[in-house]
Amino acid sequence: MASQRRKHRAVRPSAHGLYDPSQERESCGVGFVAHIKGERSHQIVVDADTILRNMEHRGACGCEPNTGDGAGILTALPHEFLRRVAGEAFGVELPEPGRFAAGLVFFPTDAGERAYCRERIEQRIAEAGQRLVGWRRVPTCADAADLGPTARASEPVIEQVFIAAEGDLAGDAFERRLYWIRKKVSNELRRDRRLQQREMFYICSLSTKVLIYKGMLTPDQLMPYYPDLSAGDFTTHLAMVHSRFSTNTFPSWDRAQPNRFMAHNGEINTLRGNINWMRARQGVVQSSLFGDRLADLFPVVEPDCSDSGTFDNVLEFLLMTGRTLQEAVMMMIPEAWQKHETMPEAKRAFYEFHSCLMEPWDGPASI
């Protein structure tokens, strides 16, 4: 068992030479496709994969051409597909859309540690007053994807979790409850020194709205690795894809993108200051939506994130505590408003007011 743990462990090096884990940056490729009338089809997934494969030059690989820095896709929750596979996996019919959530979870390869992580997730689901529907082992095919040795050595066990809303909980209120579950269990398990493979645990997404498939892959490997994505009933009205290029950083399965709400190209130049300010705010921040459970969401910025992951953590926090997506993004990436002579006065006032609440996250080329 000990030898198995040593072999399958997401080991990240400490600072050495030009590498410093506090300087995780990315310069990548981002693509997005959507049906403007919101009509779902599997063709959206196919088109997104075409975009991704054409961004191979925007990603990177190591000394092995078949071990990538990371690639992934975010789609709307594919309800028809999830209903079918849930029925096949545990013979249960899922509730109507909006009343159930699905998420992709990276687990340790050690069976004992995996069972422990799964148990803690189930405890937090119950503590949040929601109902666990079941677990499904996500089919993966490393051979079909021709996964490289380095990617295989840190490859997690991947499972899908299904959660049903209890009572009259729905919509954004249910999303906030799911957010609390994910943050609470992630903060606990990623810092649990009893787990040798704690860095392998990661919840890619947990939502009633979106689903994320990603990994330490090249753009060409995503679809072959995840057969789910080739299913005809895996339909969506939007898809966001990402090909990762880590800049002087260390690739891993969890750092692949898309993140939970965004995909990013560029580097956050003000990262250290942004992180420090967010930590400082945790001492005074309040939210009527979370009440005395707000502290369970801390740290807002999860450890071992890249600059993109850090930005996504803060964006998600702003959204879940009551702001709109548009407001949150404008707060984090303001225009150069001070001397913009043609900007409407109301917009200028928005930027001026929020500059007192949030410093700019400078550097992103594309969000």
Side-chain angles (χ1 to χ4, degrees):
M1 185 68 70
S3 62
Q4 182 185 16
R5 288 185 178 183
R6 283 194 296 270
K7 180 181 179 183
H8 293 91
R9 186 179 175 189
V11 179
R12 295 190 179 115
S14 56
H16 178 75
L18 293 177
Y19 174 76
D20 186 337
S22 68
Q23 296 295 321
E24 289 288 346
R25 301 290 207 279
E26 297 170 284
S27 185
C28 322
V30 184
F32 184 81
V33 58
H35 194 291
I36 60 173
K37 295 184 179 179
E39 295 180 11
R40 291 171 172 262
S41 71
H42 182 64
Q43 187 62 43
I44 295 289
V45 179
V46 175
D47 291 345
D49 180 57
T50 301
I51 294 173
L52 181 61
R53 289 171 184 267
N54 281 284
M55 291 195 300
E56 183 179 5
H57 64 290
R58 294 299 303 165
C61 61
C63 58
E64 308 153 2
N66 53 354
T67 291
D69 267 5
I73 183 171
L74 176 150
T75 71
L77 218 62
H79 300 121
E80 299 86 354
F81 170 80
L82 293 175
R83 287 181 182 279
R84 175 175 62 81
V85 297
E88 294 170 353
F90 33 82
V92 173
E93 184 174 347
L94 295 175
E96 65 272 16
R99 295 275 298 164
F100 79 90
L104 213 71
V105 185
F106 291 164
F107 278 115
T109 56
D110 179 82
E113 294 195 0
R114 186 163 65 253
Y116 176 76
C117 292
R118 195 184 298 114
E119 180 183 354
R120 295 305 293 268
I121 293 174
E122 293 175 4
Q123 289 174 351
R124 295 309 175 195
I125 293 171
E127 187 179 343
Q130 307 310 299
R131 177 169 58 90
L132 172 70
V133 178
W135 292 93
R136 169 187 177 248
R137 183 71 173 261
V138 175
T140 59
C141 194
D143 291 337
D146 187 28
L147 214 61
T150 302
R152 288 177 189 255
S154 57
E155 182 184 9
V157 172
I158 305 174
E159 298 187 14
Q160 220 160 32
V161 62
F162 295 82
I163 303 173
E166 288 286 67
D168 58 356
L169 200 65
D172 290 341
F174 187 30
E175 285 288 324
R176 283 191 291 272
R177 201 68 60 91
L178 296 168
Y179 175 59
W180 179 86
I181 292 169
R182 201 202 77 231
K183 289 289 286 189
K184 179 73 172 176
V185 75
S186 295
N187 288 337
E188 291 172 342
L189 294 178
R190 296 274 290 197
R191 292 182 293 184
D192 193 333
R193 294 293 175 179
R194 292 170 295 180
L195 297 174
Q196 296 296 312
Q197 296 182 337
R198 58 187 173 275
E199 290 180 351
M200 297 186 82
F201 176 80
Y202 182 79
I203 302 176
C204 299
S205 62
L206 183 61
S207 173
T208 65
K209 300 176 181 179
V210 299
L211 189 61
I212 296 172
Y213 286 76
K214 67 179 185 178
M216 198 168 155
L217 308 166
T218 66
D220 287 340
Q221 291 173 334
L222 181 66
M223 293 285 278
Y225 184 77
Y226 287 115
D228 282 1
L229 297 173
S230 298
D233 57 353
F234 195 110
T235 62
T236 179
H237 66 286
L238 60 85
M240 181 164 61
V241 289
H242 188 275
S243 175
R244 185 171 187 256
F245 191 118
S246 59
T247 313
N248 282 343
T249 61
F250 195 74
S252 64
W253 283 76
D254 58 316
R255 286 177 181 153
Q257 294 191 46
N259 293 299
R260 289 146 188 151
F261 276 91
M262 52 78 82
H264 168 225
N265 169 43
E267 295 186 2
I268 306 295
N269 300 322
T270 54
L271 184 63
R272 177 53 52 196
N274 295 136
I275 293 173
N276 289 341
W277 274 115
M278 286 308 300
R279 286 176 179 163
R281 291 187 182 101
Q282 290 177 183
V284 296
V285 68
Q286 297 179 12
S287 172
S288 60
L289 296 173
F290 287 95
D292 57 4
R293 283 186 166 181
L294 184 64
D296 294 333
L297 307 179
F298 301 156
V300 173
V301 175
E302 298 168 9
D304 299 319
C305 279
S306 65
D307 55 341
S308 305
T310 299
F311 184 99
D312 187 71
N313 285 167
V314 177
L315 176 63
E316 184 179 33
F317 181 75
L318 294 176
L319 285 167
M320 292 299 172
T321 49
R323 288 180 169 85
T324 65
L325 179 62
Q326 296 89 337
E327 182 182 8
V329 171
M330 290 172 70
M331 283 177 63
M332 296 183 71
I333 321 174
E335 299 174 65
W337 56 271
Q338 291 92 336
K339 296 182 180 181
H340 197 311
E341 297 179 355
T342 60
M343 180 178 289
E345 191 59 35
K347 192 175 184 182
R348 188 195 304 272
F350 173 92
Y351 283 131
E352 184 174 8
F353 173 79
H354 285 94
S355 68
C356 301
L357 305 179
M358 173 71 68
E359 68 291 334
W361 291 63
D362 275 348
S366 175
I367 291 283

